[in-house]
């Protein structure tokens, strides 16, 4: 089969949707090489399009109209190129597919990551909510199949867009290979020295925004002898966190970083004493998976998708309850045996998200179409 991908996020997003797109394409190319995979994008960002392998499997808009209005090409005119390339199935990796695929006899699949903009509309500008809702509703209605990245997201699609359950398949996200290799004590020592970190620390990874909800953790460690390391891009919410830190003289207890290389980040996960992820809502929560693969015990939110991602051996708390977060951290810090047990059982649980299983599941869906 010839599979075409909407690869805008593959090339232009460094985290989130970009990681999902790159990991899925990598997994399919490795485990199901009998198919051909073509990536369609308006730009290639920092990627070297002259790389022979990338050049062979990447398509950019051509001609005056398509290059002058690349978003029009992505939304509609791309179908002409898909037909020319004899694409059997087009897969929208980030909640969108172009119009006209059915008329061109091209099967379609769309991956829906989450419907946060509908579950928590207060976090989005009204215009953005309107655009997302229009795009996602069209994709869910027009696509032949829908991939939900979790059971939680599947239920949201059914509930909010009234899509029949039998049209939706759940395929969990893969995870970058860097998190799956055992890190040496020397590697851990080196990253801590480079970043100026103490021997033990809590780790949180993700954009520093209200939905990710890191402020309650900062408040929870105020009287605990453990620092917090936060890796992520700051937003306006970051200033609220900084203000609390300054008011309570916690500058030496909270470290902020961004822009780490993937291998550095993976070593940091493995070096952390506990990974904490108090997010209010996610489509899946890939940082939880990264922590489990790294052998690091996880504290996360008890509602929504988080138990689905964290499994039976992670620790679950009310993300808004500061005392509950405080007690969970304190308890695990005092119980080395419990942390080791969580690490061992978490690593066993996370094998369900291995690349070969993702590839097998996705390949079966393509073949059925």
């Amino acid at each position: 089969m010839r599979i075409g991908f909407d690869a805008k996020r593959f090339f232009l997003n460094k985290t989130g949707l970009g990681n999902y797109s790159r990991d899925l394409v990598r997994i399919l190319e490795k485990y199901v090489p009998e198919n051909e995979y073509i990536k369609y994008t308006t730009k290639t960002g920092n990627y070297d399009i002259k790389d022979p392998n990338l050049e062979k499997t990447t398509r950019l808009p051509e001609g005056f109209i398509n290059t002058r209005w690349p978003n029009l090409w992505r939304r509609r005119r791309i179908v002409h190129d898909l037909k020319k390339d004899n694409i059997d199935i087009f897969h929208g990796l980030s909640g969108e597919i172009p119009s006209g695929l059915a008329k061109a006899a091209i099967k379609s699949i769309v991956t829906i990551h989450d419907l946060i903009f509908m579950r928590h509309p207060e976090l989005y500008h009204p215009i953005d909510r309107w655009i997302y809702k229009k795009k996602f509703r069209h994709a869910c209605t027009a696509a032949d199949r829908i991939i939900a990245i979790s059971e939680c997201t599947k239920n949201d699609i059914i509930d909010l867009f009234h899509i029949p359950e039998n049209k939706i398949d759940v395929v969990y996200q893969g995870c970058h290979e860097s998190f799956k290799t055992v890190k040496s004590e020397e590697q851990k020592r080196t990253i801590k020295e480079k970043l100026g970190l103490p021997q033990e620390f809590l780790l949180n990874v993700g954009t520093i925004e209200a939905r990710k909800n890191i402020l309650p953790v900062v408040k929870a460690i105020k009287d605990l002898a453990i620092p917090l390391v936060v890796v992520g891009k700051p937003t306006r919410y970051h200033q609220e966190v900084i203000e609390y830190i300054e008011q309570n003289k916690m500058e030496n207890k909270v470290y902020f970083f961004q822009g780490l290389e993937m291998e550095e980040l993976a070593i940091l996960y493995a070096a952390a004493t506990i990974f904490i992820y108090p997010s209010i809502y996610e489509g899946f929560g890939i940082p939880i998976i990264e922590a489990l693969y790294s052998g690091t015990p996880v504290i996360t939110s008890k509602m929504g998708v988080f138990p689905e991602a964290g499994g039976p051996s992670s620790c679950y708390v009310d993300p808004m309850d500061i005392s509950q977060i405080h007690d969970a951290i304190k308890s695990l810090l005092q119980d080395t045996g419990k942390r080791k047990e969580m690490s061992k059982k978490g690593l066993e649980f996370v094998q369900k998200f291995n690349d070969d299983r993702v590839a097998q599941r996705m390949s079966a869906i393509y073949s059925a179409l």
Side-chain angles (χ1 to χ4, degrees):
M1 286 182 290
R2 290 175 64 83
I3 314 295
F5 294 108
D6 173 9
K8 177 182 177 180
R9 310 293 182 181
F10 179 107
F11 289 100
L12 302 181
N13 285 53
K14 292 184 178 180
T15 59
L17 298 178
N19 286 338
Y20 170 82
S21 301
R22 288 183 292 272
D23 282 338
L24 181 59
V25 174
R26 171 186 60 79
I27 288 167
L28 290 169
E29 288 177 338
K30 178 178 179 180
Y31 289 97
V32 198
E34 60 269 26
N35 293 333
E36 295 183 69
Y37 305 104
I38 312 297
K39 299 177 285 292
Y40 294 82
T41 181
T42 56
K43 299 177 183 178
T44 55
N46 296 325
Y47 284 80
D48 179 14
I49 194 61
K50 295 303 181 183
D51 175 272
N53 292 327
L54 199 58
E55 185 176 27
K56 181 181 178 182
T57 62
T58 302
R59 301 288 188 272
L60 289 160
E62 297 178 346
F64 175 77
I65 294 177
N66 293 336
T67 54
R68 182 70 177 81
W69 293 283
N71 288 331
L72 176 61
W73 174 76
R74 182 169 174 255
R75 290 196 304 267
R76 185 178 299 274
R77 294 175 64 88
I78 190 175
V79 175
H80 172 77
D81 292 341
L82 300 177
K83 290 175 65 177
K84 185 175 67 175
D85 289 338
N86 295 315
I87 294 298
D88 297 301
I89 299 171
F90 185 79
H91 188 163
L93 296 173
S94 55
E96 300 178 62
I97 60 171
S99 300
L101 291 172
K103 188 175 180 180
I106 298 170
K107 296 291 186 179
S108 58
I109 294 176
V110 65
T111 295
I112 300 295
H113 297 263
D114 59 67
L115 297 178
I116 298 173
F117 63 95
M118 295 180 73
R119 286 297 187 199
H120 289 277
E122 72 280 3
L123 300 174
Y124 294 82
H125 190 282
I127 293 177
D128 291 335
R129 293 202 308 267
W130 182 83
I131 292 172
Y132 294 152
K133 186 174 182 179
K134 183 177 180 181
K135 286 181 177 180
F136 283 30
R137 186 184 293 279
H138 165 260
C140 288
T141 302
D144 292 294
R145 300 296 302 171
I146 299 169
I147 303 296
I149 63 168
S150 67
E151 291 289 343
C152 182
T153 294
K154 174 183 176 180
N155 292 334
D156 280 351
I157 295 168
I158 295 168
D159 183 34
L160 298 173
F161 285 152
H162 309 296
I163 300 296
E165 182 178 2
N166 60 10
K167 187 179 179 178
I168 308 170
D169 298 289
V170 174
V171 182
Y172 291 113
Q173 289 185 253
C175 178
H176 196 279
E177 289 295 306
S178 297
F179 300 95
K180 300 177 183 178
T181 57
V182 177
K183 305 301 186 289
S184 69
E185 292 304 316
E186 176 62 26
Q187 287 176 302
K188 296 176 188 177
R189 184 165 53 252
T190 298
I191 195 69
K192 284 187 279 193
E193 288 177 356
K194 178 180 178 179
L195 300 178
L197 300 178
Q199 182 63 26
E200 292 193 334
F201 59 90
L202 304 175
L203 177 65
N204 171 266
V205 177
T207 304
I208 307 169
E209 59 181 337
R211 175 170 59 87
K212 302 290 185 179
N213 193 44
I214 195 59
L215 184 55
V217 178
V218 176
K219 293 179 178 180
I221 66 166
K222 181 181 176 183
D223 299 318
L224 291 175
I226 186 79
L228 171 66
V229 175
V230 182
V231 181
K233 181 180 178 181
T235 67
R236 285 182 296 179
Y237 174 77
H238 179 247
Q239 187 55 41
E240 184 180 345
V241 179
I242 291 295
E243 288 174 3
Y244 181 87
I245 290 170
E246 292 175 346
Q247 289 168 4
N248 291 274
K249 297 179 172 54
M250 296 176 65
E251 289 88 347
N252 294 327
K253 288 193 71 172
V254 186
Y255 301 77
F256 293 99
F257 300 101
Q258 61 176 314
L260 297 181
E261 297 295 330
M262 190 67 76
E263 183 63 19
E264 291 180 319
L265 182 61
I267 297 170
L268 192 64
Y269 266 97
T273 307
I274 299 168
F275 182 77
I276 188 156
Y277 198 68
S279 180
I280 296 170
Y281 188 97
E282 299 287 338
F284 183 57
I286 196 65
I288 296 173
I289 304 303
E290 293 168 346
L292 294 176
Y293 271 117
S294 302
T296 303
V298 170
I299 298 174
T300 188
S301 306
K302 65 181 180 180
M303 76 286 263
V305 74
F306 304 103
E308 192 176 343
S313 299
S314 292
C315 177
Y316 298 99
V317 296
D318 179 340
M320 305 307 295
D321 190 327
I322 296 167
S323 63
Q324 198 174 123
I325 296 171
H326 171 279
D327 292 346
I329 295 170
K330 184 178 179 180
S331 175
L332 287 183
L333 288 176
Q334 294 174 343
D335 194 340
T336 304
K338 178 65 174 177
R339 296 203 308 271
K340 288 182 178 179
E341 180 186 14
M342 289 173 67
S343 173
K344 178 177 179 293
K345 290 186 176 180
L347 193 55
E348 292 172 356
F349 168 78
V350 82
Q351 301 309 309
K352 68 184 289 185
F353 305 114
N354 280 348
D355 290 355
D356 58 339
R357 298 191 185 187
V358 174
Q360 183 181 35
R361 186 87 175 94
M362 194 66 75
S363 179
I365 295 168
Y366 289 156
S367 296
L369 273 183

